[in-house]
Amino acid sequence: MSLRDQLTEIKEKGLADIQQTSDLKALNEIRFHLLGKKGPITAALRGIKELNPEERPEVGSYANKIRDAISEAVSNHRETLENAALNAQLSAEKIDVTMPGKPVVQGQPHVIQQIIDQIVDLFLGMGYEVLSGPEVEEDKYNFEMMNLPKNHPARDMQDTFYISKEILMRTQTSPMQARALEKHDFSKGPLKMISPGIVYRRDTDDPTHSHQFHQVEGLFIDEHVTMADLKGTLITMAQNIFGDKFDIRLRPSYFPFTEPSVEVDVTCFNCMGKGCDVCKHTGWIEVLGAGMVHPNVLEMAGVDANKYGGFAFGVGPDRFAMLKYGVDDIRDFYLDDVRFLNQFSKRGN
Amino acid sequence: MKVSYKWLKQYLDLNMPAKDLAEKIERTAVEVDSVAVAQDGLKKLVVGHILSMTKHPESDHLHVCQVDVGEDEPLQIVCGAPNVDVDQKVIVALPNSRIGGNVKIKRSKMRGIESSGMICALDEIGFSKDVIPKEWADGIYVFDDDVPVGEPIYKYLGMDDPIIDLDVTPNRGDMLSILGTVHDLAAIYDQQPEIKKPVVDEDSSLNIDQEIQATADDQLAKTYKLRVVEGVKISPSPAWLQIVLWNAGIRPINNVVDVTNYILLKYGQPLHSFDKDKINGTVHVRLAQKGEQLTTLDEDEHALSADDIVIADDDKPIALAGVMGGFNTQIDDNTENVVIESAIFDCFKIRKTAQRHNLHSEASQRFERGINPDGVQDAVDEAVSMIKQLAGGKIARGTVNASEYHPQLPTIYITAERTNHVLGTALTTADIKSIFDRLGFSSETHQDGLNVTIPARRWDIFRDADLYEEVARIYGYDNLPATLPTGRQSVGILTPTQKLQRASRTALEGLGFTQAISYSLTTTAKAKMFLMRQSEETKLLWPMTQDHAVLRMNMLSGLLDDVAYNHAHKVDDVALYEAGRVFYKDTADQIRPEEVEHIAGVVTGNLTNPLWNNHVSPVDFFQLKGMVNQFLVNLGVKGDIEYTATDQYPEMHPGRTANISIHGHYVGFLGQIHPRIAKQFKIKETYGFELNMQELIDLPKDDNQYQTISKYPSIKRDISLVVDDDVTNSQILAVMNKRGGAYLSDVRLFDVYEGDNVPDGKKSMAYSLTYVDPRETLKDDVVNTAFEKIKKRLTADLNAEIR
């Protein structure tokens, strides 16, 4: 058998052995055995010196090819074996991904807080400042400076918790109008403020009444602020809170501290204006009161009503939340049932 | 005010459906509560004629009637009404009809006798018992003879008339009358209604001065008028008048009282009728004297106050002025001579009197909101004319005017420029003038604008702003443009306080607390719990309930109420916080409390749900402490946060409560709610904290600061020591931090052990100490030296045994 034939035989046997191996350790041994110094190729090559000098390079080169072929075959087969081992491991590690994730702890802002923050953020963007005032208020600010003198029949519209003859639980956030007007320096710019807070009425709690609820007061006074500006501002608010499809309408109403006074309706949430039981088939739902600040209110706060004027509005976040989410009992907001509160966990709306 | 559409149509050309009219009123004038047609929902109710009647053989009160209902054969109907009689025209509910309350009437047998329908009383077809005349209150209704048999009943009872219920705002007292409503609708629809002045057919033989005299304090009654009709015959009013009244929600009484109520509805002018022969001497309008009593028409007796205006004769009060007449001078069936009063009483006094005696009548409601001073005479004139027409008698010549008031009509100057400036419109002077024309306000051009004269019937208008409203509503709010304000700019940003308050909420929510809002008004007992400083309570003068009578002086008690509510609804795991105000008073004399921002939280049960891979244990003190501490770190208050054991709060567990201070300032506390309090609230083991948020806002803050993270490796050493039970972690930390050397960067308590191998009264505590040098690699011997020093100090200062 020629040397060349010997080498061919070594190669073929070697390749066959490699392919049959199913274990990485054995594969290494085969490689070591075939390509090592004591291996058959090395042994066979010892016979090269018996060949003609002209034949030697050709056989030497053939031997190197065989080495390379074996080396490559080992490397390929190693990869195959490694992949098979990894696949076996992965398959053993398979889990049921439909099982629940580990619970994490997260609290939620109260739904009314969410509405208030939404209103506050909108008006901050329009350049309003945010003011907060006392919940225990003077009759003077809550009523008198809001153009509601003692004995005014409109005081009956707001049953009041009194602490003394002159001190009461504020029935509205409107006293912040008077307080802000008194303080504001109009030479420095317009007065634009909103004031969220808790208010109190002497009501018996039932699904639509609560002795404690929230209001957000808004006030914009400058040299030229119109009722059309009020309308535009309220449309902006309604669409920001409820959505682009909502429209508003103004209806005449009466508040002693605004003139003209309007009640503001927004498109019915339930029927989107078509008319249903919720909106008494009008397509509209009353959401807030507003108007042009009464000159008496400006004058009582020391503001020149001939030079300055503007609008005010009062929003009820409780009512907004009830309408927006279809909550049918206002008391739900103050019972703090975790199952209720945790429903309002969607962020970014 | 319930307004009859048919009545309005007597003055105005209105053809739209009532619903559309109501919508227009709502958008232009006042709110509309409802539009109702009484016949809606009723079916097959016709006028029947009782042809004959026999007693029911099996009953002592039932009658068997043969009733002609306009069909070929009469119907046999069994009727139990006490006043049923032959030849009456009655309300018949035919078989398969529907009566009030959505009740269906079917052919049936009553004690063995066939009954094909039902003869109805008014309340059975939907009338409120409050408006049914006394004569028909206990039996069936009987029509006038001229009502045609077989016809549907509705128009003969006014049930086909749409009734628009106006919710009149306090400023629009003028709309509490048909004429006032007509005036407003005339402006809205641009029509000219014809309103006739009443003509009085006086009897020249009777002179008012000889009939009655009166005196009036014009501070109490600006206008006080009396007229007299003699020789009347009291009887029920005709059906048309009864219909007008019951459709307005007023019960018909008799032909004199009904006229006064009719005038009240038409003019908005309350009238009162006295039986002249029951008045002794002169009529006086005066304040009541202390101790005087009056029984009003509803037969309630009232002890009068010296602030009540009364009408009195020479002896006694005979009416509570403007509120309700006296029983002693009321019109009864035998009354022959009547005195009709038409007046304007002081609105504030009437309001107080109505409140004081809890008598809110149609009259008081109108006096409170104002009366048209120019309608007082017309009202009484039309009243006496109608009485003569309906009850006969002679009208005495003239009117007693004990006081009289005709205000100067106000003239207000407005310009188109100013109107547009306020409304944002682009109206011309002519546009505005035409609106005033429609309203019936006369106006004349003056300089660049208009001088507008306001008629007496609109006493709510007295300055320019009031006129802008008139222009705006008649022009239509829908026609107003929608713009955003232009002009001087401003920046809208939250103040540092507001930012911190927002941050405090998101921080707590991130830590697992859900925001709660509970009631600020609570019980005395709860208001006084968990006091962080000495304070008196702030009480309401007239609370609605004792549950909400006192202002809270802590937030925790409200949160415990919330926990109790959740527990009661089978929710065991609760983590809530609330940001709000507490109300402190330093002394009992202080009236107005100080309002302080607080923030508080409670946790009970598990923070997360136990699951196959989530093995939970209920919250404890240290769980809450970790949360509160992280919260305080987030707020960035400058200085160290310290926790010291306290038993100062009776509502907290005396061994599991810590006061919290930052840089030496007391800011609040945390711990376990006292088991006794938990039991009282019916809640499980609960932990809570309360912090003075105002204090946290006011304390100086640290900004976020960046420090290079050391590139050099740190070295750790663990130490285990046995100390006496009463040695605290904080004492050990103090020693370590003081004696730890420059490179000690962190100390962690990783184990606490009591029991086997630790002597009684001792505990083993194990700490892990980390050393790091930011500038170079630390050498072991440097750390060893520092570590040995700590061991030595712990042994010396705290008698610790190092293990």
Side-chain angles (χ1 to χ4, degrees):
Chain A
M1 196 188 275
S2 72
L3 184 53
R4 192 185 170 97
D5 289 347
Q6 275 180 42
L7 285 168
T8 305
E9 197 179 272
I10 291 166
K11 175 183 130 187
E12 269 157 23
K13 184 169 182 302
L15 290 180
D17 288 350
I18 287 167
Q19 289 310 322
Q20 277 164 22
T21 307
S22 60
D23 142 8
L24 279 168
K25 204 174 153 199
L27 184 68
N28 267 340
E29 273 163 19
I30 291 168
R31 183 180 185 280
F32 184 75
H33 171 72
L34 286 175
L35 302 180
K37 288 210 168 77
K38 289 175 183 167
I41 298 174
T42 316
L45 280 178
R46 282 196 199 108
I48 202 164
K49 53 189 182 269
E50 287 161 31
L51 295 177
N52 292 330
E54 313 85 74
E55 280 178 309
R56 286 181 196 169
E58 195 264 332
V59 174
S61 147
Y62 182 63
N64 282 336
K65 266 191 199 155
I66 287 171
R67 278 177 191 275
D68 289 349
I70 287 170
S71 183
E72 195 189 328
V74 167
S75 155
N76 285 346
H77 193 59
R78 177 182 292 131
E79 202 180 316
T80 309
L81 291 182
E82 279 173 354
N83 280 343
L86 181 60
N87 284 340
Q89 183 196 339
L90 292 180
S91 143
E93 283 171 357
K94 189 176 173 197
I95 54 168
D96 176 1
V97 297
T98 66
M99 291 200 291
K102 222 169 200 174
V104 291
V105 184
Q106 190 191 55
Q108 313 303 337
H110 195 285
V111 58
I112 289 183
Q113 184 73 55
Q114 295 184 31
I115 300 269
I116 290 174
D117 285 350
Q118 234 180 317
I119 297 170
V120 165
D121 288 345
L122 172 71
F123 282 96
L124 282 172
M126 296 199 285
Y128 288 59
E129 62 180 321
V130 184
L131 300 179
S132 70
E135 291 173 24
V136 180
E137 195 36 290
E138 295 172 44
D139 186 276
K140 175 180 129 181
Y141 287 105
N142 194 74
F143 289 128
E144 279 171 49
M145 289 188 69
M146 297 317 293
N147 208 21
L148 272 145
K150 297 232 159 72
N151 281 324
H152 194 288
R155 283 198 181 199
D156 290 350
M157 291 156 84
Q158 303 181 0
D159 277 331
T160 310
F161 285 127
Y162 280 93
I163 285 170
S164 73
K165 211 165 164 238
E166 298 299 329
I167 302 294
L168 45 79
M169 301 307 296
R170 66 173 172 192
T171 58
Q172 46 189 359
T173 43
S174 307
M176 280 313 290
Q177 288 187 35
R179 288 181 173 272
L181 284 166
E182 266 186 343
K183 276 200 188 145
H184 191 75
D185 177 357
F186 283 95
S187 71
K188 303 242 164 72
L191 170 56
K192 297 163 73 174
M193 71 92 180
I194 54 163
S195 183
I198 296 178
V199 299
Y200 303 84
R201 298 277 170 91
R202 203 170 174 280
D203 267 333
T204 302
D205 294 346
D206 68 22
T208 53
H209 295 87
S210 175
H211 74 275
Q212 166 183 317
F213 57 100
H214 295 76
Q215 272 190 354
V216 181
E217 194 75 10
L219 179 68
F220 190 150
I221 304 289
D222 201 3
E223 287 169 8
H224 190 196
V225 182
T226 71
M227 195 153 188
D229 294 337
L230 169 64
K231 192 173 171 183
T233 301
L234 295 176
I235 289 176
T236 307
M237 173 162 64
Q239 296 186 341
N240 187 271
I241 308 273
F242 300 124
D244 292 344
K245 290 192 201 98
F246 287 82
D247 198 2
I248 63 161
R249 69 168 189 179
L250 309 183
R251 280 186 290 110
S253 186
Y254 172 69
F255 308 106
F257 37 93
T258 48
E259 185 80 27
S261 298
V262 286
E263 207 74 67
V264 183
D265 295 342
V266 66
T267 312
C268 176
F269 300 78
N270 196 43
C271 62
M272 288 313 290
K274 285 190 208 92
C276 65
D277 285 341
V278 173
C279 58
K280 293 187 199 157
H281 303 278
T282 61
W284 296 97
I285 290 200
E286 182 180 319
V287 290
L288 64 103
M292 302 306 287
V293 175
H294 198 291
N296 289 356
V297 171
L298 296 171
E299 281 157 12
M300 276 188 278
V303 177
D304 179 356
N306 289 318
K307 187 162 181 200
Y308 298 105
F311 60 73
F313 57 85
V315 182
D318 302 61
R319 180 155 173 81
F320 270 31
M322 289 175 87
L323 294 171
K324 184 167 178 173
Y325 299 109
V327 176
D328 53 14
D329 193 331
I330 192 172
R331 293 171 296 189
D332 285 343
F333 295 129
Y334 302 99
L335 293 171
D336 298 320
D337 185 324
V338 208
R339 297 164 303 176
F340 175 83
L341 297 174
N342 285 341
Q343 291 181 42
F344 305 99
S345 61
K346 313 254 184 323
R347 308 294 165 93
N349 57 3
Chain B
M1 166 89 185
K2 291 189 160 74
V3 174
S4 147
Y5 191 15
K6 281 189 178 173
W7 201 349
L8 295 176
K9 281 185 178 175
Q10 291 177 16
Y11 297 97
L12 297 162
D13 180 21
L14 300 172
N15 298 310
M16 66 291 293
K19 192 175 156 287
D20 294 358
L21 175 65
E23 160 100 7
K24 192 78 180 171
I25 293 173
E26 186 151 69
R27 302 189 77 153
T28 325
V30 295
E31 212 164 304
V32 172
D33 265 354
S34 63
V35 182
V37 184
Q39 76 176 66
D40 284 356
L42 305 180
K43 207 171 79 181
K44 294 179 93 168
L45 299 178
V46 299
V47 178
H49 183 208
I50 302 179
L51 301 175
S52 65
M53 184 172 100
T54 53
K55 279 190 73 85
H56 190 296
E58 302 294 321
S59 162
D60 55 0
H61 71 280
L62 293 177
H63 289 91
V64 183
C65 308
Q66 302 302 321
V67 186
D68 174 9
V69 293
E71 290 166 13
D72 297 344
E73 294 291 322
L75 293 179
Q76 173 170 294
I77 300 174
V78 177
C79 179
N83 63 332
V84 64
D85 209 345
V86 177
D87 211 26
Q88 285 173 333
K89 298 269 180 81
V90 294
I91 302 165
V92 174
L94 298 174
N96 300 320
S97 61
R98 201 181 296 122
I99 61 169
N102 209 14
V103 174
K104 272 191 182 158
I105 298 300
K106 287 193 178 133
R107 236 180 265 277
S108 65
K109 275 191 175 164
M110 290 183 81
R111 298 201 191 170
I113 303 280
E114 180 123 336
S115 182
S116 301
M118 176 174 166
I119 301 176
C120 299
L122 289 174
D123 61 323
E124 287 164 333
I125 57 166
F127 275 63
S128 157
K129 287 196 155 97
D130 297 337
V131 303
I132 299 175
K134 221 179 222 165
E135 48 189 319
W136 314 123
D138 299 319
I140 53 169
Y141 178 76
V142 181
F143 289 103
D144 290 345
D145 278 346
D146 55 359
V147 173
V149 171
E151 287 283 298
I153 57 162
Y154 313 113
K155 86 171 171 185
Y156 304 103
L157 292 170
M159 299 178 82
D160 58 338
D161 188 7
I163 304 300
I164 302 170
D165 194 1
L166 305 181
D167 185 5
V168 175
T169 47
N171 61 324
R172 291 301 308 271
D174 62 301
M175 295 279 285
L176 288 174
S177 66
I178 292 297
L179 291 184
T181 306
V182 165
H183 278 296
D184 222 65
L185 289 174
I188 294 169
Y189 290 106
D190 198 6
Q191 295 186 16
Q192 261 81 42
E194 194 195 343
I195 296 166
K196 290 191 193 115
K197 273 242 173 222
V199 182
V200 186
D201 180 14
E202 296 176 335
D203 192 299
S204 55
S205 68
L206 294 174
N207 194 330
I208 189 74
D209 296 336
Q210 271 118 50
E211 299 301 322
I212 193 103
Q213 277 90 41
T215 69
D217 176 347
D218 64 5
Q219 296 296 304
L220 305 178
K222 281 182 189 168
T223 298
Y224 193 79
K225 292 172 180 286
L226 298 176
R227 291 204 71 146
V228 168
V229 187
E230 303 225 321
V232 299
K233 190 169 170 358
I234 303 297
S235 68
S237 297
W240 74 265
L241 180 52
Q242 293 197 336
I243 288 170
V244 166
L245 295 183
W246 72 43
N247 272 347
I250 297 175
R251 186 205 302 270
I253 309 284
N254 59 45
N255 50 4
V256 169
V257 174
D258 291 354
V259 165
T260 62
N261 282 329
Y262 175 85
I263 297 297
L264 168 125
L265 292 172
K266 181 171 171 184
Y267 286 87
Q269 170 68 56
L271 302 179
H272 184 63
S273 49
F274 298 95
D275 183 328
K276 180 167 172 287
D277 301 317
K278 295 176 185 167
I279 298 172
N280 183 22
T282 305
V283 171
H284 306 280
V285 183
R286 61 165 170 86
L287 288 175
Q289 283 151 14
K290 225 175 159 101
E292 279 188 316
Q293 304 255 335
L294 178 68
T295 303
T296 42
L297 286 172
D298 54 7
E299 298 182 46
D300 275 347
E301 185 160 321
H302 298 273
L304 300 178
S305 142
D307 288 328
D308 292 328
I309 310 175
V310 291
I311 312 302
D313 64 11
D314 290 344
D315 308 330
K316 59 191 183 293
I318 56 173
L320 199 48
V323 178
M324 196 175 279
F327 188 74
N328 53 17
T329 46
Q330 74 166 332
I331 308 293
D332 60 40
D333 291 348
N334 303 316
T335 297
E336 288 178 1
N337 304 315
V338 296
V339 177
I340 305 296
E341 167 201 274
S342 187
I344 303 177
F345 296 108
D346 179 74
C347 56
F348 297 123
K349 286 228 154 41
I350 296 297
R351 179 162 177 265
K352 284 282 171 202
T353 295
Q355 281 175 347
R356 193 160 34 234
H357 299 283
N358 198 20
L359 270 179
H360 297 275
S361 60
E362 292 277 348
S364 71
Q365 187 196 354
R366 285 175 176 80
F367 282 120
E368 284 177 41
R369 296 183 193 212
I371 298 290
N372 175 5
D374 282 359
V376 187
Q377 185 71 46
D378 287 349
V380 73
D381 287 350
E382 184 159 343
V384 291
S385 296
M386 271 183 78
I387 290 170
K388 178 176 149 69
Q389 205 180 321
L390 300 179
K394 297 171 178 174
I395 300 170
R397 190 151 46 81
T399 304
V400 172
N401 291 308
S403 60
E404 176 108 59
Y405 163 74
H406 289 287
Q408 168 118 41
L409 298 182
T411 297
I412 303 167
Y413 175 70
I414 74 165
T415 63
E417 191 213 343
R418 188 69 194 166
T419 308
N420 292 328
H421 181 88
V422 172
L423 299 180
T425 44
L427 299 169
T428 63
T429 306
D431 295 336
I432 295 170
K433 189 174 169 45
S434 85
I435 288 173
F436 293 137
D437 291 346
R438 285 164 65 174
L439 283 162
F441 300 177
S442 64
S443 59
E444 44 186 73
T445 309
H446 176 73
Q447 295 170 354
D448 295 336
L450 296 168
N451 272 332
V452 188
T453 303
I454 313 303
R457 62 180 162 81
R458 289 300 304 277
W459 62 91
D460 59 311
I461 295 174
F462 42 87
R463 63 180 298 168
D464 52 357
D466 302 326
L467 284 182
Y468 304 143
E469 178 164 74
E470 294 302 301
V471 172
R473 70 186 184 90
I474 301 296
Y475 175 65
Y477 287 117
D478 287 345
N479 298 324
L480 217 59
T483 53
L484 285 178
T486 52
R488 300 189 289 177
Q489 296 300 301
S490 59
V491 178
I493 43 167
L494 294 173
T495 62
T497 295
Q498 290 161 350
K499 282 183 194 159
L500 195 74
Q501 285 177 311
R502 256 197 197 191
S504 69
R505 299 198 316 253
T506 44
L508 284 174
E509 284 150 21
L511 291 164
F513 292 95
T514 286
Q515 188 184 12
I517 302 178
S518 58
Y519 294 120
S520 315
L521 288 163
T522 182
T523 65
T524 308
K526 286 175 187 169
K528 281 194 210 166
M529 290 178 167
F530 306 105
L531 277 185
M532 285 173 60
R533 76 178 214 203
Q534 189 281 323
S535 174
E536 298 293 329
E537 72 212 47
T538 309
K539 285 184 187 167
L540 298 181
L541 285 181
W542 301 286
M544 288 294 276
T545 77
Q546 289 308 314
D547 284 347
H548 307 295
V550 179
L551 278 166
R552 65 183 173 197
M553 294 184 280
N554 71 88
M555 308 286 293
L556 270 174
S557 62
L559 289 169
L560 296 185
D561 280 336
D562 295 343
V563 173
Y565 181 87
N566 279 287
H567 280 4
H569 293 81
K570 306 263 185 285
V571 179
D572 290 338
D573 305 332
V574 181
L576 293 171
Y577 82 94
E578 181 170 10
R581 291 188 190 157
V582 299
F583 302 82
Y584 291 134
K585 278 193 339 192
D586 289 331
T587 65
D589 301 341
Q590 185 184 336
I591 292 168
R592 193 168 174 194
E594 183 190 345
E595 300 181 24
V596 183
E597 293 286 342
H598 271 209
I599 199 159
V602 287
V603 276
T604 179
N606 302 318
L607 282 179
T608 57
N609 289 326
L611 276 187
W612 64 283
N613 62 346
N614 190 42
H615 306 289
V616 297
S617 49
V619 288
D620 60 11
F621 176 90
F622 296 104
Q623 174 94 58
L624 178 67
K625 185 179 174 185
M627 296 161 95
V628 172
N629 196 70
Q630 183 59 45
F631 171 64
L632 292 170
V633 168
N634 288 150
L635 291 191
V637 181
K638 207 189 268 294
D640 292 334
I641 306 164
E642 288 166 277
Y643 300 86
T644 33
T646 180
D647 57 4
Q648 76 182 77
Y649 311 97
E651 300 83 11
M652 296 298 287
H653 191 305
R656 292 184 175 182
T657 300
N659 271 333
I660 308 170
S661 56
I662 305 182
H663 202 68
H665 296 275
Y666 165 68
V667 295
F669 63 92
L670 86 163
Q672 184 184 339
I673 305 302
H674 199 296
R676 184 171 40 79
I677 297 293
K679 197 174 165 195
Q680 189 182 316
F681 277 89
K682 299 195 174 85
I683 58 178
K684 299 183 177 173
E685 184 173 315
T686 299
Y687 293 83
F689 70 90
E690 176 141 353
L691 297 165
N692 181 333
M693 187 65 199
Q694 194 56 55
E695 191 75 29
L696 294 170
I697 289 166
D698 294 342
L699 284 171
K701 303 293 181 308
D702 274 332
D703 286 337
N704 283 329
Q705 274 180 340
Y706 168 69
Q707 274 185 322
T708 318
I709 292 155
S710 175
K711 293 199 268 288
Y712 303 100
S714 58
I715 294 178
K716 279 204 169 130
R717 289 283 184 277
D718 288 353
I719 183 171
S720 171
L721 35 140
V722 173
V723 289
D724 289 346
D725 264 344
D726 58 358
V727 172
T728 65
N729 172 58
S730 133
Q731 285 174 297
I732 295 168
L733 285 186
V735 171
M736 288 182 176
N737 285 323
K738 195 166 171 200
R739 306 295 178 182
Y743 305 124
L744 180 64
S745 71
D746 189 32
V747 180
R748 245 169 241 187
L749 173 67
F750 70 87
D751 193 32
V752 179
Y753 177 72
E754 277 173 286
D756 287 354
N757 302 324
V758 177
D760 277 356
K762 300 259 185 189
K763 60 185 173 184
S764 158
M765 302 183 76
Y767 293 85
S768 172
L769 283 65
T770 306
Y771 292 88
V772 69
D773 181 345
R775 282 169 299 276
E776 58 179 354
T777 304
L778 261 183
K779 296 202 173 62
D780 264 354
D781 53 350
V782 173
V783 173
N784 290 343
T785 312
F787 193 54
E788 285 309 315
K789 196 171 172 189
I790 282 185
K791 285 184 179 171
K792 205 184 271 178
R793 294 312 319 180
L794 288 169
T795 312
D797 296 354
L798 299 174
N799 195 23
E801 180 198 332
I802 314 294
R803 284 194 168 177

